[in-house]
Every structure is written in structure tokens, then in C-alpha cells.
């Protein structure tokens, strides 16, 4: 019952802010609520405060003992939501499927698949040596086991 109440409050808050979306919600046995958000334009502290207040101000602390944490998805966290792919177009990803690992630049993301490009060195068709070629892969989202943004320093 408590989880359903929290889910409803969270859904109402996210309906008001369509640029934000839920990555994960957990409610522990001790009523510890943890909300992980992402947004089409990132997530600010104000965004987290907005969602936190939308939940906390509608729960009665006199009746319930709970803790609440609202955070943004970390830069090293795997992508879990289709909207995260759109948000990360132009960035380098490491994508694991059940039978392959692809590292490349995300150039396109649709509802069902993503397209990544990368450069590879291959033997010349004629003669000795290697040549750099542009590669491209179209990967269905439902075949992705894990995708992470590759952070560059």
C-alpha cells in the first residue's frame, strides 16, 4: 500500500514535469524510499527538490516513518531508459549485447534501435598495410544487455 502511494505521487510529479523521467524506484521494508531520475536536459538539484517535495509533502509523518532520497542517474550508471539514448546522441558508448561488445559514437536513437559509428583499421583490399574504415552498427534496444557512456578525461 505504501509503495503504491509513493508510485502515484511520483507519477503525478513526473506528469507535471515531462522533461523528467524515472530510472528507478525502490521502497525498502523500513520505508526507505529511493528515487533515481534522469531528464531530457539533465537533472538539477531543483529538479530533485521538486520531486522530493511532491512526495514528502503528501505523506503524513505523524502516521508513517520514512526516509526519502531523490537523486539523478550517475554518469557511470548504465543506460536503462529509451529516452537516455536520445539524450546521449553524439557521445561514445560501450554497448554489450548477448554476443558482442561494440564501442562507438551514438549517432541515432529511435524507439526500437540505436545506430553507432566507429573507425577501425582493416587490411587493405589490395597490397600490404592497413586502411582506416568507417563502421556502423544498428542495434535493436531489446538486444542490449548493458550500455554505458564512455567518460573522457
Amino acid at each position: 500500500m505504501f509503495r503504491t502511494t509513493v508510485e502515484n505521487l511520483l507519477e503525478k510529479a513526473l506528469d507535471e514535469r515531462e522533461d523528467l523521467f524515472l530510472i528507478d524506484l525502490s521502497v525498502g521494508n523500513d520505508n526507505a524510499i529511493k528515487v533515481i531520475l534522469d531528464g531530457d536536459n539533465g537533472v538539477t538539484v531543483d529538479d530533485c527538490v521538486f520531486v522530493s517535495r511532491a512526495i514528502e509533502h503528501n505523506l503524513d509523518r505523524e502516521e508513517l516513518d520514512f526516509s526519502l532520497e531523490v537523486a539523478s542517474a550517475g554518469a557511470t550508471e548504465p543506460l536503462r531508459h529509451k529516452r537516455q539514448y536520445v539524450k546521449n546522441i553524439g557521445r561514445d558508448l560501450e554497448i554489450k549485447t548477448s554476443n558482442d561488445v561494440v564501442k562507438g559514437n551514438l549517432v541515432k536513437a529511435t524507439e526500437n534501435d540505436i545506430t553507432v559509428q566507429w573507425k577501425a583499421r582493416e587490411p587493405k583490399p589490395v597490397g600490404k598495410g592497413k586502411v582506416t574504415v568507417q563502421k556502423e552498427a544498428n542495434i535493436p534496444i531489446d538486444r542490449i544487455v548493458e550500455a554505458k557512456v564512455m567518460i573522457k578525461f
Side-chain angles (χ1 to χ4, degrees):
M1 157 103 175
F2 180 68
R3 181 181 175 90
T4 304
T5 303
V6 171
E7 287 172 347
N8 291 338
L9 292 170
L10 183 57
E11 184 178 331
K12 185 177 176 188
L14 294 178
D15 283 348
E16 285 183 43
R17 291 287 311 275
E18 293 181 3
D19 59 316
L20 300 176
F21 51 94
L22 180 66
I23 298 299
D24 192 33
L25 167 66
S26 62
V27 180
N29 291 337
D30 57 350
N31 288 343
I33 306 163
K34 184 169 184 180
V35 178
I36 307 293
L37 299 173
D38 205 344
D40 297 325
N41 304 307
V43 178
T44 66
V45 172
D46 289 338
D47 297 332
C48 292
V49 169
F50 169 78
V51 171
S52 176
R53 287 182 178 156
I55 295 170
E56 187 172 15
H57 289 183
N58 290 292
L59 295 175
D60 188 354
R61 283 216 181 259
E62 299 296 321
E63 289 182 27
L64 295 166
D65 183 30
F66 65 91
S67 65
L68 174 61
E69 177 184 350
V70 179
S72 64
T76 59
E77 291 292 312
L79 304 181
R80 294 194 217 169
H81 196 285
K82 291 178 182 181
R83 284 170 69 178
Q84 287 180 296
Y85 290 101
V86 173
K87 172 186 165 183
N88 284 291
I89 289 175
R91 298 182 81 182
D92 291 335
L93 300 183
E94 179 179 78
I95 301 144
K96 295 177 185 173
T97 63
S98 56
N99 57 355
D100 200 10
V101 175
V102 175
K103 292 181 181 179
N105 186 272
L106 180 62
V107 294
K108 183 179 171 189
T110 67
E111 184 71 21
N112 301 316
D113 55 19
I114 62 171
T115 303
V116 290
Q117 294 179 342
W118 68 98
K119 289 183 170 46
R121 300 281 291 160
E122 294 185 349
K124 287 183 177 178
V126 178
K128 294 182 181 181
K130 292 189 174 192
V131 63
T132 301
V133 295
Q134 181 78 24
K135 296 279 204 170
E136 184 172 289
N138 191 332
I139 304 168
I141 289 177
D142 61 3
R143 290 196 49 229
I144 297 173
V145 174
E146 181 180 81
K148 286 187 172 185
V149 174
M150 295 170 37
I151 307 295
K152 295 179 183 175
F153 294 99

